[in-house]
Amino acid sequence: MKRIISIMLAAALIISAMAGCRTEDGEEGGTARIGISMPTQSLQRWNQDGANMKAQFEAAGYVVDLQFAGDNDIPTQISQLENMIATGVDVLVIAAIDAFSLGFVLEEAVAKGIPVIAYDRLIMDTAAVSYYATFDNWLVGALQGTFLRDALDLDNAEGPFNIELFTGDPADNNIHFFFGGAMEVLMPYIESGKLVVPSGQIEQAQVATPMWSTERAQERMENLISAQGYGPTGTPLHAVLSSNDSVAQGITNALLAVGYDADNFPLLTGQDCDIASMKNILAGHQSMSVFKDTRTLAAQVVLMVDALLKGEPVPVNDTEIYDNGVKVVPSFQCVPVFGDINNYVELLIDSGYYTMDQLQ
Ligand code: BGC
């Protein structure tokens, strides 16, 4: 039954992709072209996002121009967008590297009447963004903070517990939500002294990780280890908040290098359920992650683009949260899900996201 429904849905989308598209001179006809701009190929999630969107748009009858901006290279992303605009795509779907650097190029899209959908990361300071498709980013942080609160049993245990904090790229608007959502849970315990941040680094700007880089996170963790004397026989480190998996992987590397192992590993959060982090979770070198099913987000974007091209109401479920400095962008937030060693089989294997072999 499910299969029949998806075939019917794909067929309906193909018909609308053919019908809903404009030619250069504004007449109906041909097949609509979707320009998809992803930030990097060096992080697993964006490869998956790109591949899922390409497959789902093509299955719905669209033509896709999918580009990855080298390894988070802002000028490359801008020139790829210029090229897509020049070749006359019908819609742009963009995961920005730098939320603040696309305003100028997007003016060209506006001039050509090309709608822009911000993908996963909000594009800031421009009226050119029509819609935003993402996950509930505050909830991502809240899941991480709640996990640490419960795993340390902060409401009952005597403590105090030592924690260090890490978030992501300062040019990614999402970190306000990830870090904000986690700190909303943790801050009362920091204020009461139950949780202690020995480095004193608790401001978002102090704990940011440029480009979400594993290496930069590793370096910062190494510095914290030397400054505070953390180690299995040194100053206790009970927990590390990390906003995502690429950052968590750098933290894990630094902690392993000073002798932590599965028996005494500090609690460590993440996000994305990257393969490398899932392996760390299975080895006891990371505690949890947050699963954001890129298939769901891709499917949502296909629905949004389809409605947009047909001139129908675009499905959104939020019209208040995501203010980009110029306007509140109508958004669809998908639901992120807690993932760890106890539920990964159901979440990732049974759902067909990974095979067990990939996690060995
Ligand atoms: C995404 C995360 C990702 C991070 C690094 C964020 O904008 O929401 O899922 O881990 O970028 O690429």
Side-chain angles (χ1 to χ4, degrees):
M1 186 62 187
K2 254 190 181 164
R3 199 171 145 70
I4 297 175
I5 292 175
S6 35
I7 292 169
M8 282 166 64
L9 183 69
L13 288 173
I14 288 174
I15 292 164
S16 67
M18 307 286 289
C21 118
R22 288 170 294 110
T23 56
E24 274 288 82
D25 51 14
E27 284 175 13
E28 299 277 322
T31 303
R33 292 184 57 230
I34 317 297
I36 301 177
S37 171
M38 293 285 112
T40 176
Q41 245 174 331
S42 69
L43 204 68
Q44 186 201 326
R45 81 148 286 186
W46 301 111
N47 289 292
Q48 253 156 329
D49 285 281
N52 284 331
M53 266 194 289
K54 187 168 176 352
Q56 294 193 27
F57 271 118
E58 286 178 352
Y62 291 96
V63 171
V64 173
D65 182 0
L66 167 64
Q67 306 280 341
F68 293 88
D71 185 8
N72 285 311
D73 188 53
I74 297 167
T76 303
Q77 183 161 51
I78 291 173
S79 76
Q80 288 174 340
L81 287 169
E82 276 169 346
N83 193 44
M84 288 176 188
I85 293 166
T87 56
V89 293
D90 293 278
V91 180
L92 283 170
V93 178
I94 305 170
I97 298 165
D98 181 334
F100 298 91
S101 64
L102 299 182
F104 191 63
V105 64
L106 295 188
E107 290 307 311
E108 295 172 32
V110 171
K112 285 203 155 192
I114 302 170
V116 173
I117 297 194
Y119 183 86
D120 193 77
R121 298 172 170 172
L122 187 56
I123 302 170
M124 304 300 285
D125 285 351
T126 169
V129 190
S130 307
Y131 294 95
Y132 179 34
T134 189
F135 286 86
D136 184 336
N137 295 309
W138 190 267
L139 181 56
V140 170
L143 287 169
Q144 296 164 339
T146 305
F147 166 77
L148 293 176
R149 181 195 69 195
D150 294 349
L152 291 169
D153 196 15
L154 291 179
D155 286 326
N156 302 303
E158 206 170 309
F161 298 103
N162 289 341
I163 185 169
E164 293 292 348
L165 311 170
F166 286 69
T167 192
D169 193 310
D172 183 344
N173 185 60
N174 284 349
I175 72 165
H176 304 297
F177 294 82
F178 300 152
F179 193 62
M183 291 305 275
E184 186 179 56
V185 180
L186 299 177
M187 205 56 188
Y189 301 97
I190 294 176
E191 278 163 1
S192 74
K194 182 79 68 88
L195 269 182
V196 178
V197 184
S199 68
Q201 297 174 5
I202 58 172
E203 298 303 324
Q204 185 173 287
Q206 295 176 301
V207 306
T209 310
M211 294 293 175
W212 295 93
S213 150
T214 299
E215 293 71 29
R216 297 291 285 270
Q218 180 168 340
E219 259 169 51
R220 180 162 170 259
M221 191 67 238
E222 286 165 357
N223 292 339
L224 291 170
I225 289 169
S226 346
Q228 304 303 324
Y230 293 130
T233 56
T235 308
L237 177 62
H238 302 98
V240 183
L241 170 74
S242 164
S243 284
N244 91 332
D245 283 349
S246 61
V247 169
Q249 286 152 28
I251 296 164
T252 292
N253 294 343
L255 294 175
L256 287 174
V258 289
Y260 285 106
D261 61 28
D263 296 330
N264 54 23
F265 216 77
L267 297 168
L268 173 60
T269 63
Q271 164 185 199
D272 290 336
C273 291
D274 267 10
I275 288 179
S277 276
M278 290 317 298
K279 288 183 178 171
N280 282 344
I281 287 176
L282 299 185
H285 301 157
Q286 183 177 322
S287 316
M288 58 80 77
S289 189
V290 177
F291 181 47
K292 303 197 302 186
D293 193 330
T294 55
R295 296 168 300 190
T296 314
L297 187 57
Q300 185 58 35
V301 171
V302 174
L303 290 176
M304 290 167 88
V305 165
D306 195 57
L308 194 60
L309 289 176
K310 282 172 25 193
E312 290 177 357
V314 173
V316 294
N317 60 9
D318 178 82
T319 52
E320 285 170 15
I321 300 177
Y322 292 105
D323 186 339
N324 80 345
V326 172
K327 66 191 249 196
V328 176
V329 183
S331 306
F332 194 96
Q333 297 192 99
C334 300
V335 181
V337 181
F338 174 91
D340 71 356
I341 197 164
N342 299 311
N343 71 349
Y344 80 98
V345 173
E346 188 190 343
L347 200 61
L348 303 172
I349 310 295
D350 295 351
S351 78
Y353 204 72
Y354 296 139
T355 62
M356 199 57 111
D357 280 355
Q358 289 175 285
L359 305 186
Q360 302 302 304

mmCIF file of all heavy atoms in Angstrom, residues 43 45-46 120-121 137 172 174 178 212 244-246 271-272 292, ligand 1:
data_model
loop_
_atom_site.group_PDB
_atom_site.id
_atom_site.type_symbol
_atom_site.label_atom_id
_atom_site.label_comp_id
_atom_site.label_asym_id
_atom_site.label_seq_id
_atom_site.Cartn_x
_atom_site.Cartn_y
_atom_site.Cartn_z
ATOM 1 N N LEU A 43 32.216 16.555 4.956
ATOM 2 C CA LEU A 43 31.444 16.080 6.106
ATOM 3 C C LEU A 43 30.317 15.206 5.577
ATOM 4 O O LEU A 43 29.600 15.589 4.664
ATOM 5 C CB LEU A 43 30.880 17.280 6.887
ATOM 6 C CG LEU A 43 30.561 17.010 8.352
ATOM 7 C CD1 LEU A 43 31.842 16.769 9.147
ATOM 8 C CD2 LEU A 43 29.838 18.210 8.954
ATOM 9 N N ARG A 45 27.377 14.365 6.454
ATOM 10 C CA ARG A 45 25.953 14.705 6.373
ATOM 11 C C ARG A 45 25.604 15.455 5.099
ATOM 12 O O ARG A 45 24.558 15.241 4.529
ATOM 13 C CB ARG A 45 25.446 15.434 7.630
ATOM 14 C CG ARG A 45 25.721 16.892 7.719
ATOM 15 C CD ARG A 45 24.587 17.598 8.490
ATOM 16 N NE ARG A 45 23.375 17.705 7.660
ATOM 17 C CZ ARG A 45 22.295 18.362 8.012
ATOM 18 N NH1 ARG A 45 22.253 18.951 9.182
ATOM 19 N NH2 ARG A 45 21.251 18.441 7.211
ATOM 20 N N TRP A 46 26.491 16.331 4.618
ATOM 21 C CA TRP A 46 26.134 17.128 3.440
ATOM 22 C C TRP A 46 26.145 16.282 2.171
ATOM 23 O O TRP A 46 25.392 16.555 1.232
ATOM 24 C CB TRP A 46 27.057 18.344 3.323
ATOM 25 C CG TRP A 46 26.958 19.183 4.555
ATOM 26 C CD1 TRP A 46 27.931 19.366 5.507
ATOM 27 C CD2 TRP A 46 25.809 19.906 5.026
ATOM 28 N NE1 TRP A 46 27.451 20.163 6.526
ATOM 29 C CE2 TRP A 46 26.166 20.509 6.265
ATOM 30 C CE3 TRP A 46 24.517 20.101 4.530
ATOM 31 C CZ2 TRP A 46 25.268 21.301 6.996
ATOM 32 C CZ3 TRP A 46 23.625 20.884 5.266
ATOM 33 C CH2 TRP A 46 24.008 21.470 6.473
ATOM 34 N N ASP A 120 18.544 23.857 5.904
ATOM 35 C CA ASP A 120 19.129 23.518 7.201
ATOM 36 C C ASP A 120 19.690 24.728 7.949
ATOM 37 O O ASP A 120 19.517 24.857 9.144
ATOM 38 C CB ASP A 120 20.211 22.434 7.074
ATOM 39 C CG ASP A 120 20.585 21.873 8.433
ATOM 40 O OD1 ASP A 120 19.795 21.071 8.950
ATOM 41 O OD2 ASP A 120 21.625 22.278 8.991
ATOM 42 N N ARG A 121 20.391 25.629 7.240
ATOM 43 C CA ARG A 121 20.965 26.817 7.882
ATOM 44 C C ARG A 121 20.285 28.056 7.326
ATOM 45 O O ARG A 121 20.241 28.232 6.098
ATOM 46 C CB ARG A 121 22.453 26.910 7.555
ATOM 47 C CG ARG A 121 23.260 25.737 8.057
ATOM 48 C CD ARG A 121 24.670 25.811 7.516
ATOM 49 N NE ARG A 121 25.533 24.832 8.151
ATOM 50 C CZ ARG A 121 26.775 24.579 7.771
ATOM 51 N NH1 ARG A 121 27.302 25.245 6.740
ATOM 52 N NH2 ARG A 121 27.499 23.688 8.394
ATOM 53 N N ASN A 137 16.056 23.139 15.702
ATOM 54 C CA ASN A 137 17.442 23.268 16.140
ATOM 55 C C ASN A 137 17.574 23.519 17.641
ATOM 56 O O ASN A 137 18.564 23.120 18.253
ATOM 57 C CB ASN A 137 18.111 24.396 15.343
ATOM 58 C CG ASN A 137 18.199 24.040 13.878
ATOM 59 O OD1 ASN A 137 18.682 22.969 13.526
ATOM 60 N ND2 ASN A 137 17.712 24.921 13.009
ATOM 61 N N ASP A 172 27.476 30.216 11.495
ATOM 62 C CA ASP A 172 26.311 29.349 11.281
ATOM 63 C C ASP A 172 25.239 29.737 12.303
ATOM 64 O O ASP A 172 25.414 29.533 13.514
ATOM 65 C CB ASP A 172 26.744 27.884 11.471
ATOM 66 C CG ASP A 172 25.618 26.896 11.203
ATOM 67 O OD1 ASP A 172 24.437 27.309 11.173
ATOM 68 O OD2 ASP A 172 25.933 25.701 11.035
ATOM 69 N N ASN A 174 22.713 28.404 13.177
ATOM 70 C CA ASN A 174 22.188 27.294 13.977
ATOM 71 C C ASN A 174 22.807 27.230 15.370
ATOM 72 O O ASN A 174 22.193 26.700 16.289
ATOM 73 C CB ASN A 174 22.451 25.957 13.268
ATOM 74 C CG ASN A 174 21.498 25.726 12.116
ATOM 75 O OD1 ASN A 174 20.524 26.449 11.965
ATOM 76 N ND2 ASN A 174 21.779 24.716 11.302
ATOM 77 N N PHE A 178 21.456 25.584 18.842
ATOM 78 C CA PHE A 178 22.051 24.384 19.460
ATOM 79 C C PHE A 178 22.587 24.710 20.852
ATOM 80 O O PHE A 178 22.277 24.041 21.837
ATOM 81 C CB PHE A 178 23.219 23.843 18.616
ATOM 82 C CG PHE A 178 22.871 23.442 17.199
ATOM 83 C CD1 PHE A 178 23.828 23.506 16.187
ATOM 84 C CD2 PHE A 178 21.606 22.978 16.871
ATOM 85 C CE1 PHE A 178 23.543 23.129 14.888
ATOM 86 C CE2 PHE A 178 21.303 22.592 15.562
ATOM 87 C CZ PHE A 178 22.279 22.664 14.572
ATOM 88 N N TRP A 212 33.271 24.234 12.106
ATOM 89 C CA TRP A 212 32.899 22.944 12.701
ATOM 90 C C TRP A 212 34.046 21.940 12.548
ATOM 91 O O TRP A 212 33.833 20.732 12.352
ATOM 92 C CB TRP A 212 31.658 22.361 12.036
ATOM 93 C CG TRP A 212 30.387 23.133 12.196
ATOM 94 C CD1 TRP A 212 29.884 24.077 11.345
ATOM 95 C CD2 TRP A 212 29.428 23.025 13.255
ATOM 96 N NE1 TRP A 212 28.687 24.554 11.803
ATOM 97 C CE2 TRP A 212 28.375 23.927 12.968
ATOM 98 C CE3 TRP A 212 29.338 22.249 14.410
ATOM 99 C CZ2 TRP A 212 27.250 24.060 13.796
ATOM 100 C CZ3 TRP A 212 28.216 22.390 15.219
ATOM 101 C CH2 TRP A 212 27.200 23.275 14.909
ATOM 102 N N ASN A 244 27.970 19.098 17.799
ATOM 103 C CA ASN A 244 27.775 18.130 16.707
ATOM 104 C C ASN A 244 28.856 17.060 16.709
ATOM 105 O O ASN A 244 29.762 17.050 17.558
ATOM 106 C CB ASN A 244 27.690 18.840 15.346
ATOM 107 C CG ASN A 244 29.046 18.974 14.669
ATOM 108 O OD1 ASN A 244 30.085 19.025 15.338
ATOM 109 N ND2 ASN A 244 29.050 19.024 13.353
ATOM 110 N N ASP A 245 28.757 16.165 15.739
ATOM 111 C CA ASP A 245 29.667 15.023 15.691
ATOM 112 C C ASP A 245 31.065 15.379 15.202
ATOM 113 O O ASP A 245 32.052 14.829 15.694
ATOM 114 C CB ASP A 245 29.084 13.925 14.784
ATOM 115 C CG ASP A 245 27.974 13.127 15.461
ATOM 116 O OD1 ASP A 245 27.791 13.281 16.688
ATOM 117 O OD2 ASP A 245 27.299 12.344 14.763
ATOM 118 N N SER A 246 31.178 16.284 14.197
ATOM 119 C CA SER A 246 32.535 16.572 13.704
ATOM 120 C C SER A 246 33.372 17.189 14.818
ATOM 121 O O SER A 246 34.572 16.907 14.942
ATOM 122 C CB SER A 246 32.503 17.476 12.461
ATOM 123 O OG SER A 246 31.919 18.725 12.736
ATOM 124 N N GLN A 271 25.852 15.328 17.352
ATOM 125 C CA GLN A 271 24.680 15.542 16.497
ATOM 126 C C GLN A 271 25.015 15.100 15.091
ATOM 127 O O GLN A 271 26.119 15.401 14.612
ATOM 128 C CB GLN A 271 24.336 17.038 16.470
ATOM 129 C CG GLN A 271 23.401 17.423 15.348
ATOM 130 C CD GLN A 271 23.114 18.912 15.199
ATOM 131 O OE1 GLN A 271 22.140 19.252 14.587
ATOM 132 N NE2 GLN A 271 23.953 19.783 15.732
ATOM 133 N N ASP A 272 24.135 14.419 14.445
ATOM 134 C CA ASP A 272 24.172 13.976 13.043
ATOM 135 C C ASP A 272 24.175 12.455 12.887
ATOM 136 O O ASP A 272 23.870 11.944 11.822
ATOM 137 C CB ASP A 272 25.384 14.503 12.246
ATOM 138 C CG ASP A 272 25.319 15.993 11.972
ATOM 139 O OD1 ASP A 272 24.188 16.534 11.970
ATOM 140 O OD2 ASP A 272 26.381 16.613 11.774
ATOM 141 N N LYS A 292 19.217 13.380 12.646
ATOM 142 C CA LYS A 292 18.393 14.244 11.805
ATOM 143 C C LYS A 292 18.303 13.533 10.455
ATOM 144 O O LYS A 292 19.265 13.537 9.685
ATOM 145 C CB LYS A 292 19.038 15.620 11.684
ATOM 146 C CG LYS A 292 19.272 16.275 13.058
ATOM 147 C CD LYS A 292 19.531 17.761 12.995
ATOM 148 C CE LYS A 292 20.709 18.130 12.147
ATOM 149 N NZ LYS A 292 21.011 19.578 12.216
HETATM 150 C C1 BGC B 1 24.058 21.422 10.832
HETATM 151 C C2 BGC B 1 24.629 20.241 11.579
HETATM 152 C C3 BGC B 1 26.057 19.995 11.130
HETATM 153 C C4 BGC B 1 26.878 21.272 11.170
HETATM 154 C C5 BGC B 1 28.251 21.091 10.568
HETATM 155 C C6 BGC B 1 24.954 22.603 11.026
HETATM 156 O O1 BGC B 1 24.427 23.725 10.410
HETATM 157 O O2 BGC B 1 22.755 21.692 11.291
HETATM 158 O O3 BGC B 1 23.847 19.093 11.343
HETATM 159 O O4 BGC B 1 26.667 19.065 11.968
HETATM 160 O O5 BGC B 1 26.219 22.307 10.476
HETATM 161 O O6 BGC B 1 28.205 20.840 9.221
#
